[in-house]
Amino acid sequence: MMVKKIIANSVSEAMELVKRDLGEEAIILNTRHIKVGGLFGLFAQKKVELVASVDEHPIIHEKDVQQPAPKRTPQLKKTIEMPVPKIISFSSRRLPEELGAYEAILSEPALQARVEQLHDVLLSTYYKTDDLEQVQQAFAQTIEHELQVTTVTSRYVMLTGPTGVGKTTTIAKLAAYYRLTEGKTVGLITTDTYRISAIEQLQTYAEIIDVPLHIAYDLAEFERAKEQLADCDIVLIDTAGRNFLDAGYITQLESRHDFSNTDVFLVLSLTAKYRDLEQIRRRFEQVPLNGFIFTKADETTEFWSIYGLAVEAKLPVLCITTGQEVPEDITWVNQSDMSRMIVERGGR
Ligand SMILES: Nc1nc2c(ncn2[C@@H]2O[C@H](COP(=O)(O)OP(=O)(O)OP(=O)(O)O)[C@@H](O)[C@H]2O)c(=O)[nH]1
Ligand SMILES: [Mg+2]
């Protein structure tokens, strides 16, 4: 491995020099803000010192076998060979000591799709401003850029998602919100008829909130229920997640229900691991999803998954739920609140 130290006026200039001298495969081992020249501490120039390395014996991929080996430029030969510092692991992304807290953050699974961009934002803001608050702000803004929020625009609102995430509880919160806060006429339909207790649970909420509930044991009953709720401004539909993993059920449902007049939300619990959430999202991809509802925010301190899923699925968030209490434990978020919440809680 060859290591080279570069001093430049800015990170971007230093990066360019690294690319020119060591090539695209170079790895940044360390960066630091230094002062050069000056007299008695005055008039010194602010510079960036960057230590980069490149593997002298890169792995040769099959597709590269026919290619002649690249010639080293005379400049590269002049490079001073230095022992590699022990703390550096080959794949790690180094940040200045003051940004040490971000190194753990950048290893979050939910950030991997954008890790290079986030790393660059941290470094360039730090060297431009020297101010950790501004670094955090720039980081939050980059996160915010990927987040979207949405509102319900269709007459039908269908909640789907895995077992136990809080679909029914959230339906009750939404019913209360649309009826009591927005003054709309609300109807409920449940197609989750696998468990008696699930029906009873929604029945209890429907009685308290004073909205009609129809139980649909099959698609014919589902159509009848919709007819009976034809006067409602908004019809909230509770489902059994398992139905939506069955392609046959979705095809049947699509033949008897107009999804162009329906907002479908995937309900996911923030207590689950990011990789599991991403896998669940992929399993629900065959459903025409309009966005996410995230639940159980009160039971976790880390919200990186919201960002990771926004990047992967490019879907907006309707709301986030924050407890078991109906109707109060629901939060309507905007992008900047959400990004602040993700960055501040995740940085703890
Ligand atoms: N802490 C916390 N618990 C919640 C939240 N939302 C729902 N729950 C709880 O999660 C449990 C499951 O909620 P349900 O609404 O029955 O979940 P579901 O997705 O309808 O479950 P199934 O119908 O069995 O698939 C209940 O104990 C709820 O009180 C939340 O935001 N925070
Ligand atoms: Mg339920």
Side-chain angles (χ1 to χ4, degrees), residues 296-317:
K296 309 196 184 185
D298 54 308
E299 289 188 353
T300 177
T301 52
E302 296 206 350
F303 301 131
W304 301 114
S305 298
I306 298 176
Y307 173 72
L309 289 163
V311 168
E312 288 298 332
K314 310 233 169 329
L315 284 175
V317 178

Side-chain angles (χ1 to χ4, degrees), residues 154-270:
S154 303
R155 211 168 85 79
Y156 296 105
V157 178
M158 195 177 273
L159 263 51
T160 187
T163 312
V165 288
K167 299 179 293 296
T168 305
T169 314
T170 307
I171 287 260
K173 290 172 186 175
L174 292 176
Y177 173 79
Y178 291 122
R179 171 149 155 58
L180 306 173
T181 309
E182 293 208 342
K184 290 186 167 149
T185 49
V186 178
L188 301 181
I189 301 176
T190 182
T191 58
D192 181 3
T193 52
Y194 288 100
R195 290 183 299 114
I196 295 283
S197 60
I199 299 170
E200 284 172 353
Q201 182 191 4
L202 198 53
Q203 196 112 48
T204 309
Y205 286 130
E207 278 164 24
I208 296 168
I209 304 162
D210 193 19
V211 291
L213 167 68
H214 290 264
I215 299 147
Y217 285 91
D218 55 33
L219 286 174
E221 287 189 358
F222 179 55
E223 283 182 324
R224 258 197 309 281
K226 285 195 292 181
E227 280 164 22
Q228 284 166 335
L229 296 172
D231 290 340
C232 291
D233 299 323
I234 196 159
V235 175
L236 302 168
I237 304 162
D238 195 6
T239 68
R242 76 185 88 177
N243 281 346
F244 282 80
L245 296 174
D246 172 1
Y249 177 84
I250 294 169
T251 313
Q252 258 188 325
L253 184 61
E254 277 176 333
S255 70
R256 300 176 78 161
H257 180 73
D258 180 9
F259 275 93
S260 69
N261 197 14
T262 307
D263 287 348
V264 185
F265 293 100
L266 178 59
V267 183
L268 292 173
S269 166
L270 288 169

Side-chain angles (χ1 to χ4, degrees), residues 95-102 126 130 132:
L95 287 169
E97 217 177 311
E98 291 89 332
L99 302 184
Y102 286 97
Y126 175 72
D130 230 355
L132 289 180

Side-chain angles (χ1 to χ4, degrees), residues 87-154:
I87 47 157
I88 306 303
S89 83
F90 190 74
S91 60
S92 69
R93 255 160 220 290
R94 304 303 303 180
L95 287 169
E97 217 177 311
E98 291 89 332
L99 302 184
Y102 286 97
E103 285 196 8
I105 291 173
L106 288 186
S107 68
E108 283 291 329
L111 300 189
Q112 294 319 296
R114 291 285 184 272
V115 71
E116 278 176 29
Q117 186 192 345
L118 294 167
H119 183 264
D120 289 352
V121 165
L122 289 171
L123 264 190
S124 56
T125 316
Y126 175 72
Y127 284 123
K128 242 186 267 160
T129 66
D130 230 355
D131 178 7
L132 289 180
E133 219 162 275
Q134 289 198 44
V135 171
Q136 175 155 341
Q137 259 173 31
F139 190 68
Q141 270 165 15
T142 314
I143 300 267
E144 182 182 330
H145 192 70
E146 305 267 3
L147 303 173
Q148 299 169 60
V149 292
T150 189
T151 52
V152 161
T153 52
S154 303

